Amino acid sequence: MATLTFQKASWCLQISRTSRTFGVSFTTALPRRSKPKQLLPEDTRHRPAQRHTLNSRSSRHGQARSAFTSTKVYRAQQSQEAAKLQDETTPIIPARDLSTGLNDERIILDEGERQVDWQRSFHGLSKEPFPKEAADILLAPIHANDIEVKPEGIVYLPEIKYRRILNRAFGPGAWGLAPRGKTIVTEKAVTREYALVVLGRLVSLARGEQDYFSAEGIPTAAEGCKSNALMRCCKDLGIASELWDPRYIRKFMAEHVKEAWVEHVVNKKRKKIFMRKEDEARYPFKEVKGFGS
C-alpha cells in the first residue's frame, strides 16, 4: 500500500511511501440552510395581531406628532422661521429719526383757484369787529369751576374749553388753525407757529411749544404744541383773559387753592404741591400732615 490515509470529521492526512511526502487537508462543514417556515393554518391567527401592532404604533406616532404641532413651542418655532424667511426677502428700510424734524414741507397751492395761502397771508386781519353775540361769548367771565391748577401753582384753562367757547361763538367749522412754517424739533421740545382763522379772516398768530422726553413722544408733543398755540391765540380774542391778570390770580389762589404736603407711596419722598381745595392727592402721591411729621 503506497499511501496511508487517516481521516477524521474535520481533517484528512495522506502519507505517500514512495515519494516520502504527506499532505494534510481540513474540511469545514457548512451550516445547512433551514427552509422557511411555512405557516400552518393554526399559525395564521398571529398575522392580524402583528398588523394591529404596526397600526397601533403608527397611530401613536401620529397622535404624538399632532400633539406636538399643536403646542405653543411648535407654533413659536414656525413663526420664527417664517419671520426669518420674510426678513431675508424683505428689504431693510432704516427707521426715520424724528428728532431731526417732521416731514411738513410747505404746501403749494393751485394757482388756477382763488384761495388764500394762510402760510404767508394776513388776509382779513383787523378788517371789522365780530358781531355782538359772538363778542359777548368770547368776553364772558370764566367760571371758577373751569379753572385748574398745576402742582407748581400755575392756573390754566384746559384747551378743550377754549374750543368749546369758539364753537359757541362762531359754530363748528367756522374757525381753524393754519400752520405757518415747519415744525422745529429741538433736543427737548417741539415748536411751530399757527394762525387762528375765523370766518375766513386771520385773527391771531402764536407759536406753540411742548416738551418731550423721548423720540417716540415727538408726534404727541406736536399735537400738544398745536393746542398750546390755540390757547395763546385766544388771548387776542379776550377768552379767559383773567388768567393773565395777577390780581385775579392771587384772589383765585386764596379762595380756591391750597398747599399740601404729599408723599410718594414708593420712594417715600415728600414735597409741597398746590391743588384745589376740594381735590385730593392723586396716585402715586398721598397727602400727609407735613414735612417731618
Side-chain angles (χ1 to χ4, degrees):
M1 189 173 182
T3 303
L4 297 177
T5 302
F6 301 91
Q7 186 175 358
K8 294 291 183 180
S10 59
W11 57 272
C12 177
L13 175 62
Q14 293 180 352
I15 300 175
S16 176
R17 292 182 177 181
T18 58
S19 60
R20 297 182 179 180
T21 60
F22 66 95
V24 180
S25 62
F26 296 88
T27 59
T28 303
L30 296 177
R32 295 182 180 181
R33 292 184 179 180
S34 59
K35 296 183 179 181
K37 183 179 180 181
Q38 297 182 357
L39 296 177
L40 298 178
E42 59 271 11
D43 293 333
T44 56
R45 64 180 180 273
H46 298 290
R47 288 186 178 182
Q50 184 179 7
R51 188 182 297 111
H52 176 71
T53 303
L54 295 176
N55 292 338
S56 61
R57 290 179 180 176
S58 60
S59 176
R60 289 195 301 270
H61 179 72
Q63 292 177 0
R65 181 176 180 81
S66 61
F68 174 72
T69 55
S70 62
T71 58
K72 294 182 179 180
V73 176
Y74 178 79
R75 292 197 296 268
Q77 291 177 354
Q78 295 297 319
S79 60
Q80 290 177 0
E81 293 178 359
K84 184 178 179 181
L85 180 61
Q86 184 177 3
D87 293 341
E88 294 176 354
T89 57
T90 304
I92 300 176
I93 301 176
R96 186 171 180 269
D97 186 7
L98 296 179
S99 60
T100 59
L102 303 179
N103 188 15
D104 45 10
E105 299 292 338
R106 180 174 175 269
I107 301 175
I108 306 300
L109 301 179
D110 187 1
E111 298 180 356
E113 298 182 3
R114 294 178 57 87
Q115 51 187 331
V116 180
D117 185 4
W118 294 113
Q119 298 177 103
R120 297 181 298 176
S121 176
F122 292 86
H123 172 73
L125 183 63
S126 69
K127 181 179 181 180
E128 59 181 353
F130 291 116
K132 184 179 184 303
E133 295 79 7
D136 291 341
I137 297 175
L138 298 174
L139 300 177
I142 298 298
H143 198 280
N145 290 336
D146 294 334
I147 302 175
E148 300 292 340
V149 58
K150 295 183 179 181
E152 55 269 25
I154 300 175
V155 295
Y156 69 99
L157 189 69
E159 58 89 15
I160 188 61
K161 296 184 179 180
Y162 287 93
R163 300 177 186 271
R164 291 174 182 174
I165 294 174
L166 291 174
N167 286 334
R168 288 201 307 267
F170 307 109
W175 65 275
L177 284 175
R180 295 171 74 96
K182 297 182 179 180
T183 302
I184 300 175
V185 181
T186 64
E187 294 182 357
K188 297 182 180 180
V190 175
T191 177
R192 193 177 192 183
E193 187 180 31
Y194 287 89
L196 177 60
V197 181
V198 179
L199 299 175
R201 297 164 46 191
L202 179 67
V203 173
S204 178
L205 292 174
R207 178 171 290 276
E209 60 182 343
Q210 180 65 44
D211 296 338
Y212 69 92
F213 300 98
S214 63
E216 291 77 9
I218 291 179
T220 303
E223 185 66 20
C225 173
K226 178 182 176 181
S227 299
N228 183 252
L230 173 64
M231 292 189 290
R232 294 178 175 180
C233 287
C234 287
K235 288 192 297 182
D236 294 342
L237 295 178
I239 300 176
S241 60
E242 300 92 332
L243 300 183
W244 280 267
D245 186 349
R247 290 186 178 271
Y248 178 85
I249 294 176
R250 288 195 293 267
K251 181 181 179 181
F252 177 83
M253 294 288 289
E255 296 178 355
H256 302 281
V257 179
K258 66 178 180 180
E259 293 181 86
W261 284 97
V262 294
E263 181 182 75
H264 198 281
V265 296
V266 178
N267 55 30
K268 304 302 180 181
K269 292 184 178 180
R270 296 187 178 187
K271 65 178 181 178
K272 182 184 290 187
I273 64 172
F274 294 86
M275 66 176 69
R276 292 182 63 103
K277 291 183 178 180
E278 64 272 16
D279 292 345
E280 297 180 355
R282 298 180 180 178
Y283 185 84
F285 294 97
K286 65 178 182 178
E287 190 171 353
V288 294
K289 293 181 179 181
F291 183 77
S293 60

